[in-house]
Amino acid sequence: MAVVNTAVDPVTSDEDLPSIGNKRDAATNGNQALSSQEGQNKSLIIPINSSTNGNNYNSSSGGGLFIEVFPEEMSSIRPTVLSKVLRDEQAPLKTWCDASLLYIKAKREREGCELLNAAVDSDDVMSGSNTTDRLRVLASAGIAALAQANRQTGGGGEMGSLDGILGGGVDGTDNTVDRAGGKDQKDELRSLADARFTKADNINQVNPMTWIGKGMLNLAMNKMDQARFFFEQLTLKQCGEILPALIGMAAMKFMEKEYRDAQELYARAMAKFPVESGAATRVGFGMACYKLGQIDRAKAAFRRAHDMDPENVEALVGIAVLEMASLDDVLDPREYRAKAENIIKMISMANLVDHTNAMVQNHLANHYFWKWTPVPGTVEVDVGSNHIKGNMSINLEPGDRIRIGHEFETYVVKDDSIRDGGKTFKIKDNWKFPSATGLKLWKKDYDRVLSLAKGAYSATNIPEIQAESLYMLARVYHARGDMEQANKFYDKACKHSPELSPARFGLAQTLIWDEAYDEAAAHLRLLLGTCSNATDALAALGLLEVKGGKDRREAFVYLKKAIDLDPFNPDLVLIEALALQQHESDYPLSLDRYRKAVCLLEAQSKAVPAEVLTNMGVLCHETKRYEEALEMYSKALKVLDESPEAAELAKSSEKSKDVVVRHKDNNLFWVYEESDIRAEAVSDTEKPTLVVRNPLTNLESLEFKAGDDLALNDIDVQVKEIINSDDNTIHIVVNDDAALPSSETRINIKRSNGRLRNPSSISVAFNLARLHETAGRIVPAVELHKAIVKCHPSYVNSYLRLACIARDCGSLKDCSEWLKSAVAVAPGNPEVLTLVGNLHLSLCDWAPAQKVFDQLLTQKVPKVEAYSMLSLGNIYFNNLNTPKKYSKHLQYAADFYRRILTKDNANAYAANGLGTVLAEKGELFKAKEIFNRVREVSGDTILDTLLNLGHIYLAQMKHPEALQMYQSYMNRTRTTGAPITSKSQDDDEAEVLLYIAFAYFDWARQTELFNNANAAPADERYQKCIEYIEMAMKKSKKENVILRYNWCMAKLQAANCVLQKVNRNIRRTAQEVKDALDGLEQSLPIIQTMLQWKAEGRKVTIPTGMLTDFANQCKHNIDSAKSHLNEELKKEKEAQVIRDFQRIEAEANEKQRLLSAALEKERQQQEQEERERKARQKMKQVSNLVANWESAAAAEKERTATKKEKGPGVVPPGGVDDEAGIFDTDVVPTSTAALFDESDDDDDVNEPSGKADETAKVDAEKELFGDSSSEEEDENTNKRHNDEEDEEERASKKLKSSDEKDHEE
C-alpha cells in the first residue's frame, strides 16, 4: 500500500505559531528537515566563539570571525567533522538544524539525521539552549528518523508504490534476500522517533511540531485513528490549516481509499500554500486524480511537480507510467517510437536521481527484458546448421536468448567440443533460412534484468512492488527455460501479491509444463476471479479441463467466453479446435472450428500454418473423409515448400536424381522432368520397344536406367531393359501392357521433387502413409514409409509402422527385422520398446516381454510407466496356470493394477485388470461393479470390459445378458476393425464365437434340469451352440482340436436332449432323432482319430480318459438313437395310416359337399331362367299393347280427319244435327282386350259397367307391369307346401313314437 506524504515537516505561520518565531517551514516528502524561510537558499554560517582575540561574531554588525559552508560543499563534509566543529564552537541549536537541512538538500538524509541525533544526544548542546530551540531539534530529529524508517520501508516516500497504484508494466520476481535486518532497522528508527517525540512532550506537551511528528508515526504504522487525532483534533483545531497537517490528513484519506477527500485536502494545501507545498503535494494530488479516473489532471499534476522539482523521482515515474499506458492509442510508428524513447529517458533519469527506488528499477528491468542489445561483430551461418561462427570473439553464455538477423530467434546451448576462442557457438534450433554471412547479432541482456529486479526487491518492503520484482525474475528464468526456478519465483510473487495476474498466469504455465494440471487449473480459476476477461487464461483453463476430462461442458464454456471476448482472434479458435480434438466423438466439431480459424486467418491476410492444415488432414482421416484428408496434406506440403529451408534444399547441388517413391498414389513426392531425348515406337518387336532418335553414342549418355518410370504424351511406362543395338541405336524395352504412341515423342523422366528431404515435411509424409494404410493402399504406404527411413534414418515412427504392417500381414520375421532397426536407431525409445514387448506378447513369449517392460519401468516415463505396469500385470494374470504359482501371480497382477490406480485413479485399463483379478477370486459382485463403472467412464471404448461382463453374467447364470455382452463385443470389433488382443481379427472373433457357443451350451444344460416339458427350448439352444462352434471353426486359421472336441460334445449333448424328449413329454420327430444319430456318427470318428493321435504321441491337450469316455458314451447313444429312430419311424408309419384314412374320409365329405353345392347351383340357375322367361313374356305383351295403342290412336286420328273433310252438309229431317250424333250413345266403349277376354260371359253380364271398367284397367296394368303378387303367391304356396310336409313328418314321428311305446308295453 502506498504511503503518501508520511514524512512531512511542520510549516507554521506568524499568526498561528507566534511562539516559534517569524519562520515558515516547508514540507518535503521525507527528503527535507526543518528549514527557515530566511535560510532556505543561504549557506551555513558557524560563528567562531573559541578565537583568542575575543571577538565574537555579531550578525547585526557583521563583525567577527565565522565559518561559512556553501550548500555544494556539504556532500564532501562528513557529519562527524561538522558535529565536532559545531560542538567546539558552541553553535546554537538553530545552526545545527540549518546544517542538517543542508545535508538533506544534498540528498544525504542519513547524515542529516546523524547530525540532529548528535545534537540531541549532547547534553552540552541541549542544556545551553532555550525551550523553543530544544523542542524544534527534538521534533526535527524524530521526523528525520521517521523519514529514514519510511525509506527503509519503501523507496520513494509517497510514490513508493506508484507502479502498483497506476498498474504499470513493472513485474517482479524473487531473490532470496534476507529481510530480517531491514525490518529490525525500520523498527529501531521508529522507536527512536517515538523517543524523540516523547522527550519533546516532557518539555512541552503543547507543541504543534510534536503533534505533526506523532501523526506521521501513527500514519506510518497504519494507526489511522491515532493519526487522525494528532492531525485533525489537535493540530488543525489548535493551529488552524497549516501545511503539514493538511498533507498528513490527505495522506491518511488516501490510505483509507477516500480519494475524493484526499484530492480536496491536497487542493486546499496547494491553494493556501502555493509555493511552500512544493512538488510532493502535486504528486499526491496527481495520484488521487488517477484513482478517481481523472487521467489528464493526473498527468498535469505530475508535470507541474516535475517543473517545480526536475529531480522528483515520483513525478518522473508518474509521467512515464501514464504516458506508457497511452502508447496503445498512438497509430503513427514514428510517434510511437519517439514517445517510447521519451518514457525510457524519464525512467532512466529517475534512476540516476535515485538508484534505490524499487519502482524505477522494476520499470527499467521490464524495459531491458524486451530490449534487444546489439552484439559487436557479425556472424555467418549455413542452412540447416546449429553452429554460428562470428568474425570475432563473442561473449555469450548458455541460456542467452539471441536474434540473428531480423527474424530468427533462439537460445545459446552449451557445447564443450567448440574450442576456437569464443568465435563459434551452438544454438538450440537449426538455421532454417538460406546460408548467409555478415549477419548482425542481438541478445537479451537478462543479466541486467536480474540485477535490477534483485535491487528493486532489496530496496522495498512493500509486498506489491516486491511481487513485481519477483515476477520479473521469474520471467527471465522462464525465458531461459529454467522452469523450476521460474515456478519458484512465480509462486513467491503470487504469495506477495495474490492479485498480480501476470505472475499467476506464469505460475500456471510452469505447472502445466510440470504436468501438474489440477494445480494449474486452480490457479487459472483464481486468476479469473480477479480478471474475468483474461482470454488467455480462459483458453488455457478450457484446454486443461478438456484434457482432464472431468467437466467437458464447463471447459467449453470457458473457451466460448474467450472467443466471445475476442471473436476475430484465430488463435483462440485454434485452441478450441485443439480442445475438441482431444475426444474422438468431437472430431467433426473440431474440424469445423479449424475451418473457421482458417477463414479468419485468410480474412486477415495471414498465412495458414502447415501444422493447422496437417491437423485438419488428420481429423479428416479419422472421420473417414479420405479425399479431403489428402487435399489437406497436399496444402500443407505446398505451404512447407514456400519456406526458406525448402527453397534452399531445392537449390542444393546435392539434390538426388534417384526416385525414392514411384507409386501413382504417392504423386505428391515426385514429378516428371522434361529431357532432350526423343524416341519412337518400334513395330516389329515382340515386346513394346522404343528407339532413341537422338544421336547418342553410349548408354551412359541416357539420363535414366532400367527400372525408371517415363512419360510419353501422358502415357506412363516403366523401363525394363536398355539395349545398344548393332546399328548404334538405343532400344528401350518397356512394360508389356504399355500402349506406345506411333509418332516421335519427347521422353519425360520421373524424379523426386525433394519434399522428402525437407525435415519439416516428414510428419506430413508419415500421416499420408498412415492414410494409405487406413484406406487399404498398403503398397504405397510401405513404399512411403521406406522412403522416409531412407531419407531420414532416425525417424523411428516409420520403422514402427513398417513393423506393424508386417505383423498384420503375418510376416513376423519382417516385423522383427524392422523392430531391430528401430532399436538400433533409438535404443531407449519407449515406443520402440513397447512395440517389441507387444510383439513378444503376441507370440506368448512371456519372459522376453517381461524383461522389456521391466526395462521400460525403470525409465520412469509417466505414461510409459503406467503402460508397462499394466502389461506386467497382464503377463502375470495370463500365467496363473504356472504350477504352484497361482496365488503368487494373481497377487502380483493385483499389485501392479493397484499401483497404477494409486497414481491415476482414472485409468480404466487398470481398473478393468483389477476387476478380472476379483472375478478370478470369485468376488463376482465387486468385479461386476468395477466393469460397469469402467464401461460408464470409458464409453465402451475398452472392449475387454464387455467380454469380462459377459463372463460374469455367465457365471451368475444370466445367459441372455452374457450373450448380449458377447454380441456387443462382436459388433464393436467388426465396426472398428481393431481387435483388443494381440491376436488377429479372425482369431479374436473365433474366440468370442466360442464364448457365445459355450453360453448357449450352458444355457441348454440349465434348461434340461427342469426334466419336463419346460426343457423344450434346450434342443434349440444346443443347435445354436453347434452353429456358433462351426462359425468359430471357419474363422480359425489352424486346425483347432479343442474346437473339434467342443463340436463333438455339443452334438453328443444335443443327441441326448433329443433322446430324452420322450421322458419329458416333449414331442419329437423321426427327423430330429435321425439328425441326432447323424451327429453322433459324425462325432465318433473324430474322437477316435484324436485317440489315435494320442496313441501316436501327437500333441492333443484333451486327456485320454475324457476321449475314451466320450467314445463309449457316443457308441451307446448311437445304439439307443437307432432304437429310438425305429420306434419313431413305426409311430410315424401308424400315424401316417390314420392320417390316410382321415384324408380319404375328408376327401369323400368334400366331394359330397361339392355335389350338393353343384345341385343347389343348378336349381338356382333354373329358377333364374324361369324368372327371365316370364320377364321376356311380359315384355312381349307390353310391346303388343303399345303397338295396339298406337294403331288405335292412328285410326282415331284418321277418323277425325275424315269428319273434318266432309263438313256439316244438309241436316236431315228429324232434327239430326250431324253424322256423329246418329251413333252417339251413353255406353262406354270397351277396350280391345275386353273383346277377346276368356273370362265367363255370365260374370261379365252380372257385373256393373263401372266395375267392369275398373277390372279391365287393372288387367291392363297387370299385363303392362306384371303381377307383383305372383311371386309372393308362389313363395306362399311353397311355404304352405313345406309346412304341410313338416306337419306330415311330425305326425309320422309321433305315430312312430307311440308305436315304440306300445311295443315297450
Side-chain angles (χ1 to χ4, degrees):
M1 180 178 293
V3 181
V4 184
N5 287 314
T6 57
V8 294
D9 298 326
V11 177
T12 60
S13 62
D14 296 340
E15 297 80 9
D16 295 333
L17 298 174
S19 61
I20 298 179
N22 191 13
K23 300 181 178 67
R24 184 169 294 166
D25 297 325
T28 65
N29 185 24
N31 297 328
Q32 298 178 3
L34 298 177
S35 63
S36 65
Q37 179 72 18
E38 300 88 347
Q40 278 186 353
N41 299 319
K42 294 182 180 180
S43 57
L44 178 64
I45 302 298
I46 304 174
I48 301 177
N49 295 325
S50 60
S51 176
T52 57
N53 57 14
N55 295 327
N56 294 330
Y57 171 76
N58 189 341
S59 59
S60 60
S61 62
L65 299 177
F66 61 90
I67 300 173
E68 184 176 9
V69 181
F70 295 98
E72 57 270 17
E73 297 175 339
M74 291 300 296
S75 60
S76 60
I77 300 176
R78 289 180 295 174
T80 54
V81 175
L82 184 58
S83 174
K84 186 175 185 305
V85 171
L86 291 172
R87 190 179 292 106
D88 290 343
E89 301 302 331
Q90 299 178 1
L93 286 177
K94 177 181 178 300
T95 306
W96 288 79
C97 291
D98 291 342
S100 175
L101 178 60
L102 288 179
Y103 270 124
I104 293 174
K105 284 185 175 182
K107 306 296 182 184
R108 300 182 65 182
E109 293 85 353
R110 184 173 58 82
E111 287 82 353
C113 185
E114 289 180 3
L115 192 62
L116 287 173
N117 288 331
V120 171
D121 294 337
S122 177
D123 294 337
D124 296 337
V125 175
M126 295 293 291
S127 61
S129 303
N130 57 34
T131 302
T132 302
D133 289 341
R134 281 187 292 163
L135 288 174
R136 181 183 178 189
V137 169
L138 287 170
S140 298
I143 292 173
L146 185 58
Q148 284 292 102
N150 291 336
R151 179 165 290 277
Q152 290 290 330
T153 302
E158 79 246 29
M159 293 296 293
S161 63
L162 181 64
D163 188 313
I165 294 173
L166 299 183
V170 181
D171 313 22
T173 306
D174 164 47
N175 188 18
T176 54
V177 181
D178 186 8
R179 305 300 301 168
K183 187 176 185 301
D184 293 341
Q185 188 177 5
K186 175 192 66 176
D187 295 339
E188 183 180 351
L189 289 171
R190 286 180 177 175
S191 300
L192 179 62
D194 185 50
R196 300 296 187 225
F197 297 142
T198 302
K199 190 174 182 179
D201 279 342
N202 292 335
I203 297 174
N204 185 5
Q205 293 184 352
V206 186
N207 182 21
M209 292 180 64
T210 308
W211 295 341
I212 293 295
K214 287 190 173 183
M216 293 168 56
L217 177 62
N218 286 287
L219 186 64
M221 299 174 67
N222 290 327
K223 297 178 180 179
M224 298 302 170
D225 294 336
Q226 292 88 332
R228 181 181 289 105
F229 173 77
F230 285 107
F231 287 137
E232 186 176 16
Q233 299 297 328
L234 292 180
T235 307
L236 290 177
K237 285 188 177 181
Q238 298 296 328
C239 304
E241 292 186 346
I242 62 173
L243 181 60
L246 289 173
I247 294 177
M249 280 298 297
M252 187 187 67
K253 292 291 184 182
F254 190 94
M255 294 178 67
E256 291 179 341
K257 297 185 179 181
E258 298 178 5
Y259 303 119
R260 194 165 298 280
D261 293 341
Q263 183 189 46
E264 182 182 353
L265 289 168
Y266 279 126
R268 285 163 59 187
M270 291 188 295
K272 192 165 186 178
F273 305 98
V275 178
E276 294 86 346
S277 57
T281 307
R282 271 76 180 172
V283 171
F285 180 78
M287 293 169 61
C289 291
Y290 177 82
K291 298 301 289 186
L292 293 172
Q294 303 169 2
I295 304 301
D296 293 335
R297 294 186 71 185
K299 286 184 181 180
F302 290 142
R303 288 195 180 97
R304 177 56 181 158
H306 178 62
D307 294 339
M308 295 180 69
D309 184 6
E311 295 185 354
N312 189 296
V313 175
E314 291 76 17
L316 286 170
V317 175
I319 296 171
V321 171
L322 291 178
E323 290 293 340
M324 190 182 301
S326 64
L327 278 178
D328 294 337
D329 299 331
V330 179
L331 299 178
D332 187 6
R334 288 178 295 182
E335 183 182 356
Y336 183 93
R337 192 180 302 109
K339 291 188 71 172
E341 291 177 356
N342 186 40
I343 291 170
I344 297 303
K345 286 181 181 178
M346 285 190 288
I347 295 176
S348 300
M349 186 183 300
N351 188 54
L352 291 175
V353 173
D354 184 6
H355 62 275
T356 62
N357 190 294
M359 179 180 47
V360 174
Q361 289 179 317
N362 280 337
H363 274 294
L364 284 177
N366 182 66
H367 166 68
Y368 286 113
F369 180 83
W370 295 109
K371 181 182 178 181
W372 287 104
T373 303
V375 178
T378 59
V379 297
E380 62 181 41
V381 60
D382 296 328
V383 63
S385 174
N386 62 348
H387 286 82
I388 311 299
K389 186 176 182 180
N391 61 352
M392 58 185 297
S393 180
I394 301 175
N395 185 19
L396 293 174
E397 297 293 334
D400 285 346
R401 186 167 182 81
I402 62 173
R403 188 182 76 191
I404 303 173
H406 296 285
E407 299 180 9
F408 187 78
E409 297 181 13
T410 185
Y411 294 95
V412 178
V413 296
K414 187 177 181 181
D415 190 351
D416 297 332
S417 62
I418 300 176
R419 302 180 183 276
D420 60 350
K423 289 186 177 182
T424 304
F425 58 91
K426 185 178 180 180
I427 58 177
K428 180 180 179 181
D429 305 309
N430 293 335
W431 177 258
K432 60 181 181 179
F433 299 102
S435 302
T437 59
L439 295 173
K440 293 291 293 180
L441 183 67
W442 286 267
K443 76 169 186 175
K444 291 289 185 71
D445 195 356
Y446 288 144
D447 292 336
R448 180 180 291 187
V449 177
L450 293 175
S451 177
L452 289 169
K454 290 177 182 179
Y457 182 87
S458 303
T460 181
N461 256 355
I462 297 178
E464 289 81 358
I465 298 181
Q466 283 186 326
E468 292 167 350
S469 302
L470 293 168
Y471 170 58
M472 187 57 63
L473 286 171
R475 291 174 74 186
V476 172
Y477 288 116
H478 197 163
R480 284 181 169 177
D482 190 349
M483 294 299 178
E484 293 182 0
Q485 287 293 328
N487 177 271
K488 172 183 174 182
F489 291 126
Y490 280 135
D491 184 54
K492 289 187 176 181
C494 291
K495 290 178 179 177
H496 278 71
S497 179
E499 296 183 357
L500 187 60
S501 298
R504 195 167 295 281
F505 186 73
L507 178 60
Q509 286 179 309
T510 56
L511 289 171
I512 292 172
W513 172 85
D514 198 31
E515 297 184 356
Y517 300 124
D518 293 339
E519 192 175 351
H523 282 287
L524 288 173
R525 291 190 189 93
L526 290 175
L527 189 155
L528 292 173
T530 58
C531 185
S532 60
N533 294 334
T535 56
D536 290 341
L538 287 168
L541 181 57
L543 199 57
L544 284 178
E545 292 288 351
V546 170
K547 189 175 182 65
K550 295 180 180 178
D551 192 350
R552 289 174 53 80
R553 181 177 300 177
E554 186 69 18
F556 288 107
V557 168
Y558 290 129
L559 291 171
K560 187 178 184 301
K561 184 176 180 181
I563 295 174
D564 292 341
L565 291 170
D566 192 1
F568 299 105
N569 189 341
D571 293 335
L572 296 178
V573 181
L574 288 174
I575 290 176
E576 185 184 16
L578 185 61
L580 289 167
Q581 194 174 344
Q582 304 302 315
H583 202 277
E584 185 176 356
S585 62
D586 294 331
Y587 282 170
L589 293 176
S590 177
L591 188 58
D592 290 339
R593 303 311 293 168
Y594 272 119
R595 291 194 184 104
K596 181 178 180 180
V598 170
C599 292
L600 289 174
L601 290 170
E602 292 175 349
Q604 298 172 12
S605 300
K606 295 181 180 179
V608 181
E611 293 80 5
V612 173
L613 295 171
T614 303
N615 286 348
M616 293 178 69
V618 172
L619 289 174
C620 292
H621 178 182
E622 295 295 337
T623 54
K624 302 186 185 306
R625 303 176 184 178
Y626 299 141
E627 295 300 326
E628 190 176 352
L630 184 61
E631 181 183 355
M632 291 297 108
Y633 291 145
S634 177
K635 289 182 179 180
L637 289 173
K638 290 178 181 178
V639 172
L640 292 171
D641 289 343
E642 298 174 359
S643 64
E645 185 177 5
E648 185 68 18
L649 287 172
K651 296 178 182 178
S652 175
S653 59
E654 299 177 359
K655 181 177 178 181
S656 174
K657 294 295 183 181
D658 294 335
V659 181
V660 183
V661 292
R662 62 178 74 251
H663 198 278
K664 63 179 181 179
D665 290 332
N666 291 328
N667 55 4
L668 293 175
F669 300 98
W670 53 259
V671 293
Y672 278 113
E673 293 183 355
E674 292 186 358
S675 68
D676 296 332
I677 303 174
R678 304 185 68 84
E680 185 178 1
V682 180
S683 59
D684 56 350
T685 56
E686 296 180 359
K687 296 181 179 180
T689 306
L690 294 169
V691 59
V692 177
R693 295 306 183 188
N694 298 64
L696 301 176
T697 58
N698 50 37
L699 298 180
E700 287 75 13
S701 303
L702 291 175
E703 300 178 12
F704 54 85
K705 61 183 182 300
D708 287 349
D709 293 330
L710 308 178
L712 309 168
N713 289 344
D714 298 330
I715 300 174
D716 297 338
V717 298
Q718 187 176 23
V719 179
K720 295 297 184 182
E721 186 180 2
I722 301 176
I723 303 173
N724 196 350
S725 62
D726 297 337
D727 56 354
N728 293 328
T729 58
I730 298 175
H731 290 72
I732 305 171
V733 182
V734 298
N735 49 300
D736 296 338
D737 57 347
L740 300 178
S742 58
S743 59
E744 185 176 323
T745 310
R746 183 187 300 273
I747 293 178
N748 297 327
I749 308 171
K750 183 182 287 187
R751 299 296 187 197
S752 173
N753 57 13
R755 281 176 172 170
L756 286 175
R757 290 192 300 276
N758 185 356
S760 302
S761 302
I762 294 304
S763 61
V764 182
F766 177 79
N767 289 333
L768 186 58
R770 294 285 292 117
L771 177 64
H772 288 328
E773 292 180 45
T774 307
R777 300 188 290 267
I778 302 300
V779 174
V782 172
E783 181 187 64
L784 195 51
H785 281 307
K786 288 182 178 180
I788 291 173
V789 298
K790 182 176 180 181
C791 295
H792 302 274
S794 60
Y795 196 77
V796 179
N797 290 338
S798 286
Y799 289 106
L800 300 182
R801 289 312 309 163
L802 287 168
C804 291
I805 293 172
R807 179 199 64 192
D808 295 339
C809 293
S811 179
L812 296 181
K813 182 178 179 181
D814 291 340
C815 175
S816 177
E817 292 298 327
W818 285 116
L819 287 177
K820 287 179 181 177
S821 301
V823 172
V825 171
N829 189 294
E831 294 183 4
V832 176
L833 294 177
T834 300
L835 196 56
V836 172
N838 288 338
L839 178 62
H840 288 301
L841 287 178
S842 66
L843 299 174
C844 296
D845 295 335
W846 307 116
Q850 182 181 2
K851 183 178 179 182
V852 171
F853 288 116
D854 283 335
Q855 180 182 351
L856 283 170
L857 204 58
T858 59
Q859 294 185 0
K860 300 295 183 182
V861 180
K863 293 183 179 179
V864 178
E865 184 180 12
Y867 186 83
S868 301
M869 287 192 289
L870 184 67
S871 299
L872 288 170
N874 293 338
I875 290 172
Y876 281 113
F877 189 81
N878 281 280
N879 284 273
L880 294 178
N881 295 329
T882 304
K884 299 181 181 180
K885 291 187 178 181
Y886 175 85
S887 301
K888 183 178 180 181
H889 285 181
L890 190 63
Q891 185 61 39
Y892 284 166
D895 291 342
F896 277 115
Y897 296 143
R898 289 194 181 95
R899 285 174 59 186
I900 299 171
L901 291 172
T902 302
K903 296 183 177 181
D904 180 12
N905 56 9
N907 193 311
Y909 293 96
N912 181 66
L914 189 59
T916 59
V917 173
L918 292 174
E920 184 69 23
K921 290 181 178 180
E923 301 179 15
L924 300 182
F925 181 77
K926 293 182 180 179
K928 180 181 173 182
E929 290 295 324
I930 291 177
F931 292 142
N932 284 325
R933 179 60 179 164
V934 170
R935 285 191 67 193
E936 180 183 349
V937 172
S938 65
D940 279 348
T941 56
I942 303 178
L943 301 183
D944 264 348
T945 309
L946 298 173
L947 287 181
N948 294 333
L949 273 174
H951 298 336
I952 295 292
Y953 285 129
L954 189 59
Q956 294 178 340
M957 303 300 177
K958 297 180 180 179
H959 300 93
E961 291 85 350
L963 290 170
Q964 182 182 358
M965 291 297 105
Y966 294 144
Q967 292 290 355
S968 297
Y969 176 88
M970 293 276 291
N971 295 335
R972 288 185 175 271
T973 52
R974 287 170 180 170
T975 302
T976 59
I980 62 166
T981 66
S982 57
K983 304 173 184 178
S984 67
Q985 181 75 27
D986 288 340
D987 290 339
D988 266 343
E989 196 165 342
E991 186 174 351
V992 179
L993 288 169
L994 187 59
Y995 293 153
I996 297 174
F998 180 75
Y1000 276 114
F1001 184 83
D1002 188 67
W1003 196 5
R1005 286 195 305 178
Q1006 296 299 323
T1007 308
E1008 281 193 283
L1009 295 178
F1010 289 109
N1011 203 26
N1012 54 26
N1014 293 329
D1019 183 40
E1020 181 183 357
R1021 289 161 188 169
Y1022 279 127
Q1023 296 304 320
K1024 281 284 187 181
C1025 170
I1026 295 170
E1027 178 183 346
Y1028 278 100
I1029 292 177
E1030 290 174 351
M1031 292 170 60
M1033 291 167 66
K1034 292 179 181 179
K1035 287 289 183 181
S1036 182
K1037 296 179 180 179
K1038 299 179 181 180
E1039 180 68 24
N1040 195 322
V1041 176
I1042 300 296
L1043 282 177
R1044 288 289 179 185
Y1045 178 79
N1046 290 336
W1047 182 82
C1048 295
M1049 179 60 70
K1051 286 286 186 178
L1052 178 62
Q1053 291 296 331
N1056 287 336
C1057 180
V1058 172
L1059 297 179
Q1060 292 295 326
K1061 281 187 176 182
V1062 176
N1063 301 329
R1064 296 168 182 168
N1065 296 324
I1066 302 173
R1067 293 185 62 186
R1068 68 180 182 183
T1069 64
Q1071 184 62 41
E1072 291 179 351
V1073 178
K1074 186 177 184 306
D1075 292 339
L1077 179 59
D1078 292 341
L1080 292 171
E1081 290 176 346
Q1082 293 172 4
S1083 301
L1084 183 58
I1086 296 174
I1087 299 301
Q1088 290 174 345
T1089 303
M1090 292 182 184
L1091 285 170
Q1092 184 179 353
W1093 287 348
K1094 294 281 285 187
E1096 294 174 356
R1098 296 176 62 178
K1099 184 178 180 180
V1100 178
T1101 57
I1102 305 170
T1104 305
M1106 290 179 62
L1107 294 173
T1108 304
D1109 293 341
F1110 186 98
N1112 295 333
Q1113 188 177 358
C1114 189
K1115 291 177 183 178
H1116 178 269
N1117 285 355
I1118 289 174
D1119 296 337
S1120 179
K1122 288 179 180 179
S1123 63
H1124 278 265
L1125 180 60
N1126 293 331
E1127 182 180 351
E1128 288 298 328
L1129 289 174
K1130 182 178 179 181
K1131 288 180 180 179
E1132 288 192 358
K1133 187 175 180 180
E1134 293 175 354
Q1136 185 65 34
V1137 171
I1138 295 173
R1139 285 195 296 270
D1140 290 341
F1141 281 119
Q1142 292 174 349
R1143 178 178 56 79
I1144 293 171
E1145 183 179 0
E1147 289 176 354
N1149 293 335
E1150 181 66 18
K1151 287 180 180 180
Q1152 182 65 31
R1153 185 186 65 78
L1154 293 175
L1155 181 59
S1156 300
L1159 293 174
E1160 179 67 20
K1161 186 176 181 181
E1162 184 178 357
R1163 186 185 63 78
Q1164 291 177 357
Q1165 287 178 354
Q1166 290 176 357
E1167 292 177 355
Q1168 181 68 20
E1169 290 175 358
E1170 181 65 21
R1171 284 194 296 270
E1172 290 178 355
R1173 185 187 63 76
K1174 290 180 179 181
R1176 285 195 298 271
Q1177 184 177 3
K1178 290 179 181 180
M1179 289 300 296
K1180 185 176 180 181
Q1181 291 177 1
V1182 170
S1183 299
N1184 293 334
L1185 287 173
V1186 171
N1188 292 334
W1189 289 342
E1190 289 177 355
S1191 299
E1196 183 66 25
K1197 185 177 181 182
E1198 182 179 358
R1199 208 169 36 249
T1200 304
T1202 304
K1203 288 180 180 181
K1204 289 181 179 179
E1205 289 178 359
K1206 290 181 177 182
V1210 180
V1211 179
V1216 180
D1217 293 334
D1218 52 21
E1219 186 177 0
I1222 298 175
F1223 303 98
D1224 192 10
T1225 64
D1226 294 333
V1227 180
V1228 178
T1230 60
S1231 62
T1232 307
L1235 297 177
F1236 302 96
D1237 195 357
E1238 297 178 356
S1239 62
D1240 241 353
D1241 293 337
D1242 295 337
D1243 294 337
D1244 295 339
V1245 172
N1246 294 331
E1247 290 181 357
S1249 61
K1251 188 174 182 180
D1253 293 340
E1254 292 178 1
T1255 303
K1257 186 176 180 180
V1258 171
D1259 292 339
E1261 290 177 356
K1262 287 182 178 181
E1263 290 177 356
L1264 288 175
F1265 304 106
D1267 189 1
S1268 60
S1269 63
S1270 62
E1271 295 179 0
E1272 295 177 358
E1273 290 176 355
D1274 293 342
E1275 292 178 0
N1276 293 332
T1277 302
N1278 293 333
K1279 185 176 181 181
R1280 286 195 300 271
H1281 180 70
N1282 294 333
D1283 291 340
E1284 291 175 357
E1285 291 181 351
D1286 292 340
E1287 186 67 24
E1288 292 177 357
E1289 184 177 357
R1290 284 196 295 271
S1292 62
K1293 287 182 179 180
K1294 185 175 181 181
L1295 181 60
K1296 185 178 181 180
S1297 62
S1298 62
D1299 292 340
E1300 291 176 354
K1301 287 182 180 179
D1302 294 339
H1303 179 71
E1304 289 176 0
E1305 291 176 357

